[in-house]
Amino acid sequence: MIAAKSYAAQSATTPLGPHSFERREPGEHDVVIDILYCGVCHSDIHQVRDEWGGSIFPMVPGHEIVGRISRIGSQVKDFKVGDLAGIGCFVDSCRVCNSCKEGLEQYCETHLSQTYNGYEQDRKTPTYGGYSSQIVVDEKYTLHVSPNLPLEGVAPLLCAGITTWSPLREWKVGKGHRLGVLGLGGLGHMAVKLGVALGAEVTMLSSSASKEKDAKRLGAHKFALTKDPEVLKGYSGYFDFIIDTVSAQHDFDIYLNLLKRDGTLILVGAPPKPNDFQAFSIIPKRRRIAGSMIGGIKETQEMLDFCAQHNIVSDVEVIPMKEINNAYERVLNGDVRYRFVIDMATL
Ligand code: NAP
Ligand code: ZN
Ligand code: ZN
């Protein structure tokens, strides 16, 4: 077994602290990744605090992982020792259901092994995430990372990047579309960058007036303060798509009314409490509300390659491991520009 160091939560009400555990020895198809950086996603906070229910403790969070391969199994074909590698939100799936066969492993119909707060395919070995020194993963669930981008900025692409990329590609958002991005946090800032790179006209819909300058710097063409009803009136029936990244409960109605006929509200934010909406916010204009979860391995690789080509990374604040509890508070207070990333050398 491989002795791993980490930070873990022992329960939903205790802060994260140092924790030791063992990773499996690499099997024939596994790579061992020495983790260099791990992003801090709002989903880590939801799960550490058991806001979605069913959390498994001890929990080592982290699913925006970038590192370097230090060992490989005898049958590994696609990676060699010394390669950079990324791991996103899952480390395995059944591999035989229709979704897995279509490269949509995130929607595995049998059992998805989340990177943490989940179980391996045996359904009894808990998975532990990226706030740790190493991770051992089958090469099929491992991504190639370009050496040409700053690695700390690449880490958040493994969740915030792919979660916004996947629906933008699914709905073919691009030139000629008006895209609204609701919530300027980790996911939101990636949605702006990717939406702009794909050719859409992007409007930042934010509750924070202080983020207007940043939104424009990130590439947004317009900024609308969602707290100001007069501003929102000007966007009535305006958007083809709104990608909703908000992490807390909110009513859909004011945003649904910003959609054109046949417009789609793409929900990626996952508040623990239900969001409300009126039937008449969608019926008269045949509007839609759709959900989307992370992305498959193939499209995650496509997103990473696209970002390498277009020089796109996340805007990050690198923190030492011991700052993690404070970083969680700062995320909850909206004080993050726009992703915390842990430097694993500080573990
Ligand atoms: P984040 O960095 O905290 O950003 C969330 C943003 O939502 C904030 O910056 C804020 O933007 C806005 N917001 C927060 N509270 C609000 C409130 N009460 N009212 C209105 N706006 C509010 O979080 P994140 O890491 O981007 O994650 C966002 C959500 O997506 C989380 O719920 C997370 O669990 C979920 N998620 C889903 C998937 C998926 O596969 N679907 C993947 C990853 C994460 P403004 O200040 O601009 O208003
Ligand atoms: Zn995430
Ligand atoms: Zn499957």
Side-chain angles (χ1 to χ4, degrees):
M1 301 293 268
I2 300 172
K5 291 205 291 179
S6 74
Y7 255 50
Q10 301 296 336
S11 81
T13 52
T14 46
L16 274 72
H19 175 76
S20 299
F21 69 100
E22 289 183 324
R23 297 276 190 201
R24 66 172 184 263
E25 281 294 317
E28 291 183 332
H29 298 284
D30 288 338
V31 300
V32 181
I33 301 169
D34 293 348
I35 300 175
L36 296 168
Y37 293 102
C38 185
V40 177
C41 179
H42 205 121
S43 302
D44 299 350
I45 305 176
H46 290 314
Q47 291 176 92
V48 158
R49 301 193 174 182
D50 199 14
E51 292 174 352
W52 291 335
S55 285
I56 304 161
F57 295 99
M59 186 188 299
V60 178
H63 57 206
E64 294 184 336
I65 300 168
V66 167
R68 200 174 284 285
I69 294 183
S70 58
R71 278 166 74 186
I72 56 170
S74 59
Q75 299 299 313
V76 168
K77 303 273 184 283
D78 218 20
F79 292 89
K80 55 185 192 317
V81 170
D83 282 357
L84 293 171
I87 301 294
C89 299
F90 55 92
V91 289
D92 212 339
S93 64
C94 86
R95 307 177 189 210
V96 293
C97 74
N98 286 335
S99 296
C100 282
K101 282 199 271 192
E102 285 176 50
L104 297 168
E105 301 89 347
Q106 74 274 31
Y107 303 118
C108 178
E109 290 143 42
T110 312
H111 177 66
L112 181 73
S113 297
Q114 298 191 128
T115 301
Y116 70 88
N117 194 24
Y119 293 101
E120 298 283 358
Q121 288 299 298
D122 66 7
R123 298 184 195 211
K124 57 179 193 226
T125 308
T127 53
Y128 297 115
Y131 298 5
S132 63
S133 46
Q134 303 99 342
I135 192 164
V136 182
V137 183
D138 188 304
E139 67 165 330
K140 280 203 169 68
Y141 293 79
T142 305
L143 287 311
H144 290 279
V145 166
S146 163
N148 301 328
L149 294 175
L151 292 181
E152 62 276 22
V154 172
L157 302 180
L158 276 305
C159 174
I162 184 59
T163 299
T164 48
W165 172 263
S166 180
L168 292 175
R169 298 300 288 159
E170 173 63 19
W171 278 278
K172 300 185 172 53
V173 178
K175 222 175 161 48
H177 286 136
R178 291 170 173 170
L179 170 68
V181 176
L182 180 58
L184 184 45
L187 266 54
H189 92 292
M190 289 313 308
V192 170
K193 290 189 186 205
L194 294 170
V196 169
L198 290 169
E201 182 208 273
V202 177
T203 302
M204 186 69 235
L205 299 161
S206 173
S207 63
S208 311
S210 61
K211 295 180 182 173
E212 177 162 5
K213 240 196 204 149
D214 281 347
K216 298 270 170 68
R217 179 178 53 76
L218 293 166
H221 304 98
K222 301 180 179 201
F223 180 91
L225 188 61
T226 52
K227 282 183 191 151
D228 185 337
E230 282 308 306
V231 170
L232 289 191
K233 246 189 225 160
Y235 288 93
S236 178
Y238 186 81
F239 296 106
D240 297 283
F241 300 94
I242 294 176
I243 183 160
D244 178 344
T245 76
V246 172
S247 53
Q249 186 178 36
H250 55 290
D251 278 356
F252 284 159
D253 295 310
I254 49 175
Y255 310 110
L256 288 169
N257 284 312
L258 307 185
L259 292 169
K260 287 181 185 168
R261 194 202 72 219
D262 289 320
T264 305
L265 179 84
I266 303 166
L267 183 63
V268 291
K273 293 207 182 107
N275 298 329
D276 246 351
F277 70 96
Q278 292 284 345
F280 288 105
S281 294
I282 58 173
I283 288 173
K285 290 195 187 287
R286 200 162 57 183
R287 292 165 174 142
R288 287 172 280 233
I289 300 174
S292 186
M293 189 170 84
I294 44 177
I297 292 295
K298 186 164 172 274
E299 64 182 343
T300 304
Q301 191 62 61
E302 285 164 6
M303 178 274 310
L304 287 168
D305 296 346
F306 179 90
C307 288
Q309 247 170 35
H310 292 80
N311 210 18
I312 294 173
V313 286
S314 173
D315 286 25
V316 302
E317 178 176 339
V318 177
I319 56 165
M321 188 72 251
K322 65 178 169 41
E323 276 300 308
I324 188 67
N325 294 300
N326 188 33
Y328 279 11
E329 291 308 318
R330 287 182 57 195
V331 170
L332 292 169
N333 291 328
D335 177 24
V336 50
R337 301 287 186 275
Y338 280 95
R339 201 58 142 184
F340 289 116
V341 171
I342 307 159
D343 177 356
M344 279 306 154
T346 64
L347 182 60

